[in-house]
Amino acid sequence: MIELEGVPELIDPVMVAAFEGWNDAGDAASTAVAHLDREWKGEVFAALDAEDYYDFQVNRPTVFLDNGVRKITWPTTRLSVVRVGGEKPRDLVLVRGIEPSMRWRSFCNELLAFAHELGVEMVVILGALLGDTPHTRPVPVSGVTSDPDLARTMDLEETRYEGPTGIVGILQEACTHAGVPAVSLWAAVPHYVSQPPNPKATLALLNRLEDLIGLRIPLGELPEDARAWQLGVDQLAAEDSEVAEYVQTLEEARDTAELPEASGEAIAREFERYLRRREPGSGPGPGPGVATEGGDFLRDSGGGRTRPPKPDQPGPEAVPGAEPSGPAEEDGGDGNGSEEE
């Protein structure tokens, strides 16, 4: 049994996990968990043994100087806990690391052992993939689960994906078999501007997580960073008429596909988020002029960087318009990957 000394008894805990690498296009998912850890001042209470799960020729350790003393940081997965105050306090267990190189079943079992010991009520795994989506529109985020009851009660999709998978898919299935409710949230990142960071995709994941677990998440400078990111991509597109034309095609396809859904659940979610941010005791609001991801970004047509060739890896889409992509690059997993679910 895992001994968790110094960790207080948690209140309705939810585990939120993200992993750098194949499932982390634009570093959007791992950055989202890092944001939660930073804003809520998470305290690390455990780290998995790097020797058990990582190939150090793929994910190399790094050397740094600390007051003139050379030290080594090993690639691993760390767990921290944050307490979210307010009228309805709730605790989050944050899991952030790198997709393991080996022993995935043992890796998942170890995380589930922590979840069981801490009384975790639900596991939410964040991921990001490359897609045929324009950067000028709200980032599509899909919520999927393997649990039919959870899909029905939380208005999620029940996954039907078949094909190659990453640690996000494996961990979700491990949770399902262990009887732990699990949800995966996937953001689609434009494949023509996949270089990290992508604050707009990170913001979209945090907004969807906020809706899912009913907590007000402090966004800090993310809305402004997302707006600046989009303006920067707009400027790059303005220099290349072919890219601008391509993005306009994506915009037309996206707008046509979403026309019947212009009102309804999406508007209701935005209104609920607005009300939640105005609740007394929930902390300061976003402030004047701060946008949420749902619809406050510029609508200019215009694209991103020069259009790369489509990835030719096999595997179906996870989000409408999503494209599969190969594993993360060696020596660090830059997160230009894609996933299913």
Side-chain angles (χ1 to χ4, degrees):
M1 177 177 291
I2 297 175
E3 298 292 339
L4 296 174
E5 297 182 2
V7 178
E9 184 175 352
L10 303 184
I11 302 173
D12 302 329
V14 173
M15 179 177 280
V16 182
F19 304 95
E20 300 173 18
W22 204 63
N23 306 133
D24 194 23
D27 291 353
S30 58
T31 302
V33 174
H35 176 87
L36 297 175
D37 192 72
R38 181 173 60 254
E39 290 293 324
W40 279 321
K41 298 177 173 58
E43 296 183 7
V44 175
F45 65 87
L48 305 191
D49 191 340
E51 292 279 351
D52 291 340
Y53 304 115
Y54 294 100
D55 179 346
F56 299 140
Q57 289 183 323
V58 176
N59 297 292
R60 295 184 181 275
T62 57
V63 179
F64 68 98
L65 290 176
D66 182 11
N67 294 324
V69 179
R70 292 176 65 83
K71 295 185 178 180
I72 296 177
T73 299
W74 297 92
T76 188
T77 294
R78 293 179 173 83
L79 291 83
S80 59
V81 63
V82 299
R83 173 148 292 176
V84 184
E87 293 183 358
K88 297 180 179 179
R90 181 170 218 174
D91 295 326
L92 298 183
V93 179
L94 305 179
V95 179
R96 183 161 59 107
I98 304 169
E99 183 176 64
S101 308
M102 51 202 170
R103 301 186 183 92
W104 284 17
R105 285 176 292 188
S106 298
F107 181 86
C108 292
N109 288 337
E110 192 165 350
L111 290 180
L112 283 169
F114 279 108
H116 175 74
E117 186 70 13
L118 293 166
V120 166
E121 298 181 349
M122 182 171 65
V123 175
V124 182
I125 316 164
L126 307 184
L129 46 80
L130 302 180
D132 284 333
T133 182
H135 74 279
T136 54
R137 298 294 184 261
V139 175
V141 178
S142 64
V144 297
T145 180
S146 299
D147 185 332
D149 294 332
L150 200 61
R152 183 173 58 256
T153 58
M154 302 193 74
D155 191 27
L156 302 166
E157 299 175 36
E158 188 177 352
T159 180
R160 291 286 185 267
Y161 174 80
E162 295 178 292
T165 188
I167 194 61
V168 171
I170 297 299
L171 180 56
Q172 177 167 313
E173 290 305 307
C175 290
T176 300
H177 289 300
V180 179
V183 176
S184 297
L185 299 181
W186 290 97
V189 172
H191 73 86
Y192 58 88
V193 57
S194 60
Q195 297 87 347
N198 189 318
K200 187 173 180 180
T202 296
L203 181 61
L205 282 170
L206 291 175
N207 279 336
R208 186 69 174 90
L209 177 65
E210 184 179 70
D211 295 337
L212 185 69
I213 63 179
L215 286 178
R216 179 194 180 280
I217 296 176
L219 299 178
E221 298 180 356
L222 263 179
E224 186 59 36
D225 291 344
R227 204 177 291 112
W229 176 86
Q230 183 168 316
L231 286 171
V233 179
D234 286 341
Q235 292 171 1
L236 289 172
E239 301 172 1
D240 190 321
S241 60
E242 183 179 351
V243 172
E245 182 179 353
Y246 173 64
V247 175
Q248 185 175 5
T249 301
L250 294 179
E251 290 174 333
E252 293 171 355
R254 171 78 178 274
D255 294 344
T256 301
E258 293 191 348
L259 188 60
E261 302 176 7
S263 62
E265 292 183 3
I267 295 177
R269 281 197 300 268
E270 280 296 316
F271 184 63
E272 289 172 0
R273 186 181 299 123
Y274 167 77
L275 291 178
R276 185 162 53 245
R277 292 185 177 279
R278 289 177 59 89
E279 288 178 357
S282 62
V290 175
T292 58
E293 194 278 332
D296 297 323
F297 290 98
L298 298 180
R299 294 287 182 153
D300 301 352
S301 62
R305 304 190 179 179
T306 54
R307 179 180 175 184
K310 294 289 187 65
D312 53 5
Q313 298 290 332
E317 301 84 4
V319 173
E323 287 289 338
S325 174
E329 293 181 7
E330 187 176 345
D331 291 348
D334 286 339
N336 292 334
S338 71
E339 240 296 342
E340 73 297 339
E341 320 204 331

